[in-house]
Amino acid sequence: MFTAFLIKYAEIGIKGKNRYLFEDALVSQISHALKKCEGKFLVRKTQGRIFVDAQTEFDFDEVVEHLKLVFGISGICPVVYVEDEGFEKLCETVVDYMKEVYPDPNKTFKVQARRARKNYPKDSMEINMDMGEAILNAIPEMKVDVHNPDITLNIEVREMIYIYSEIIPGPGGMPVGTGGKAMLLLSGGIDSPVAGYMISKRGVKIDAVYFHAPPYTSERAKQKVVDLAKIVSKYTGPIRLHVINFTDIQLYIHEKCPHEELTIIMRRYMMRIAEHLAKESDCQGLITGESIGQVASQTMASLISTNEVCELPVYRPLIAFDKQDIVDISEKIGTYETSILPFEDCCTIFVAKHPVTKPNVNIIRRHEHNLDEKIDELVKIALETDEIIIAE
Ligand code: ATP
Ligand code: MG
């Protein structure tokens, strides 16, 4: 029955002079998402609204599933377009619509008409009244409730007449690309994919980096990260994933530094390398999945040490989240099942039995000094052997 969708967007509406930029980005993200669906679609912007018109047959559920992934959409309204063939004919069509969409008639409704084409013979109030009456006559079980109806039946009179009443919730947020770009430190864990999803939801495009330590971390651990990037890319669009071979850096830190400081020093090198890659590709920040107190390297004291090695802002959207709340989001976005696969990432390989929980930055810096120029050489090699995978 439905041939189109009206796309509702929330926050974009308040962006003043830049509003068109957000709308254009949303149109382009929607077009991109629909490329994966069977059928042809026209995505168009008119008078502060976005419509998706199906130009061929399409699978309703498939299209809705894909639209639900597009950040910036707050609601998806399936629409029926009809030609204007007089008010009586319109009443018949609307009654059929109500019967089909609401097989259980024990509902309250109100008609909300909008006469965008001013030469239509009835004004909005008249349409509301007369259409309401036609529905009540045809479906006596339905009742009118103008204050808190179960169904708000929208009738918009334009060149064609648009009928819609259902709002399927979208993901909210901002269209990707309107908020710049950031580099996500993506491990195989539960947290970092969620962190990437959350920042991207605010309109930020995502690049990612994974630190791989073969043979200590397996090929399957790497594949798991690629798979996670692919799942996240359903929301964010294609992700350029850097795979950095971290083995020699890690072994060298292991050799030269006190073992209880290993994780912190290793994390400092991850941040340095991530920042280097970020600056190279015009990213304006780093993203991690850290949360206060979750592990020794994520206490406030430890975060001072990992934070101080980079200039770019580090976005930690999960900083105040409990683990269960993070798990809930990862289940919702579809990364959880992959995240809990048992392949170790390199953070878990060389961990000390008793890592420091209150590292002193000055002491960490002093111990890092033991690493001399050789570490710079190793970082250089790691950057030169960067493998780039496009996850989509
Ligand atoms: P996650 O579930 O995201 O792996 P975690 O609880 O295991 O997080 P850590 O291992 O301390 O926490 O890592 C903290 C953050 O550092 C991660 O959220 C991620 O952003 C980044 N990180 C850790 N290991 C790697 C890695 N091997 N490659 C890329 N980023 C990493
Ligand atoms: Mg981890």
Side-chain angles (χ1 to χ4, degrees):
M1 169 172 51
F2 295 106
T3 50
F5 298 88
L6 164 65
I7 303 299
K8 298 212 176 228
Y9 43 88
E11 279 177 64
I12 310 180
I14 58 177
K15 290 291 167 203
K17 270 208 304 210
N18 288 332
R19 178 173 166 148
Y20 78 97
L21 290 174
F22 287 81
E23 289 173 336
D24 290 349
L26 186 55
V27 166
S28 119
Q29 291 302 115
I30 292 171
S31 308
H32 183 75
L34 292 176
K35 282 199 189 115
K36 300 199 183 105
C37 298
E38 199 94 21
K40 276 195 83 171
F41 304 90
L42 174 70
V43 186
R44 63 191 172 91
K45 194 172 91 167
T46 45
Q47 297 154 14
R49 324 180 103 198
I50 291 172
F51 288 95
V52 175
D53 297 342
Q55 298 179 305
T56 56
E57 294 278 297
F58 68 100
D59 179 339
F60 181 86
D61 293 335
E62 183 189 43
V63 168
V64 169
E65 279 322 304
H66 282 80
L67 290 174
K68 276 181 168 175
L69 304 175
V70 180
F71 293 141
I73 295 182
S74 70
I76 304 156
C77 308
V79 183
V80 175
Y81 292 164
V82 292
E83 296 283 352
D84 179 12
E85 297 173 297
F87 191 71
E88 237 166 76
K89 182 77 176 81
L90 179 63
C91 289
E92 281 171 30
T93 310
V94 168
V95 166
D96 290 345
Y97 171 99
M98 293 296 270
K99 285 184 177 164
E100 187 160 343
V101 180
Y102 306 102
D104 171 10
N106 291 301
K107 295 218 154 57
T108 58
F109 74 96
K110 83 167 175 193
V111 181
Q112 189 165 284
R114 231 176 94 169
R115 188 176 59 156
R117 173 156 61 83
K118 295 296 173 205
N119 66 359
Y120 194 75
K122 286 180 192 281
D123 68 20
S124 305
M125 280 311 280
E126 288 169 324
I127 300 174
N128 289 346
M129 304 277 288
D130 298 351
M131 183 66 71
E133 200 178 306
I135 295 170
L136 289 172
N137 287 337
I139 317 172
E141 297 91 334
M142 282 200 174
K143 292 194 176 53
V144 171
D145 180 347
V146 288
H147 299 296
N148 195 13
D150 300 326
I151 304 164
T152 300
L153 175 67
N154 292 277
I155 313 261
E156 289 191 15
V157 180
R158 298 168 180 256
E159 272 321 298
M160 304 273 276
I161 298 173
Y162 299 8
I163 306 165
Y164 62 92
S165 57
E166 289 285 279
I167 303 182
I168 303 163
M174 299 287 205
V176 171
T178 56
K181 186 161 69 160
M183 178 68 67
L184 169 66
L185 283 84
L186 181 63
S187 71
I190 293 170
D191 306 332
S192 43
V194 172
Y197 167 89
M198 287 176 68
I199 294 295
S200 180
K201 188 160 180 257
R202 297 305 302 164
V204 177
K205 191 169 164 33
I206 303 284
D207 278 0
V209 52
Y210 166 58
F211 296 93
H212 187 39
Y216 304 98
T217 54
S218 65
E219 205 45 36
R220 290 169 78 189
K222 172 177 153 189
Q223 188 55 44
K224 175 179 162 184
V225 174
V226 174
D227 292 344
L228 285 170
K230 279 187 186 159
I231 300 171
V232 176
S233 80
K234 287 201 290 185
Y235 304 91
T236 62
I239 294 178
R240 213 159 161 260
L241 171 67
H242 300 264
V243 179
I244 293 286
N245 188 324
F246 204 54
T247 312
D248 291 342
I249 296 173
Q250 212 165 4
L251 288 173
Y252 188 55
I253 298 173
H254 190 255
E255 181 191 322
K256 295 281 181 176
C257 302
H259 288 183
E260 60 279 8
E261 287 168 10
L262 198 72
T263 307
I264 294 287
I265 295 178
M266 194 177 81
R267 302 263 315 114
R268 284 162 66 94
Y269 276 93
M270 284 187 183
M271 299 302 270
R272 288 182 173 111
I273 292 173
E275 179 171 62
H276 183 96
L277 294 170
K279 286 183 170 169
E280 252 178 15
S281 48
D282 296 325
C283 291
Q284 294 156 306
L286 304 179
I287 307 168
T288 74
E290 288 158 316
S291 157
I292 296 175
Q294 204 189 73
V295 287
S297 58
Q298 296 178 28
T299 61
M300 299 258 286
S302 298
L303 288 168
I304 293 178
S305 294
T306 34
N307 204 61
E308 71 144 10
V309 297
C310 40
E311 284 167 11
L312 286 178
V314 181
Y315 295 101
R316 301 180 174 91
L318 305 179
I319 199 70
F321 277 48
D322 292 350
K323 192 73 188 190
Q324 188 56 48
D325 300 333
I326 303 170
V327 166
D328 290 347
I329 301 177
S330 79
E331 285 179 333
K332 190 186 88 186
I333 67 174
T335 50
Y336 183 72
E337 291 299 320
T338 305
S339 288
I340 58 171
L341 293 174
F343 316 117
E344 311 264 286
D345 65 42
C346 64
C347 261
T348 35
I349 295 293
F350 296 89
V351 285
K353 271 218 183 72
H354 301 290
V356 279
T357 53
K358 292 198 186 80
N360 176 314
V361 186
N362 295 319
I363 298 176
I364 296 278
R365 278 194 211 127
R366 206 177 317 135
H367 288 150
E368 241 177 32
H369 241 72
N370 298 347
L371 296 167
D372 59 52
E373 310 83 66
K374 185 171 166 198
I375 193 80
D376 300 331
E377 182 58 24
L378 293 176
V379 167
K380 190 164 159 261
I381 295 170
L383 285 167
E384 281 165 4
T385 54
D386 176 13
E387 179 194 1
I388 295 175
I389 297 172
I390 305 295
E392 57 187 339

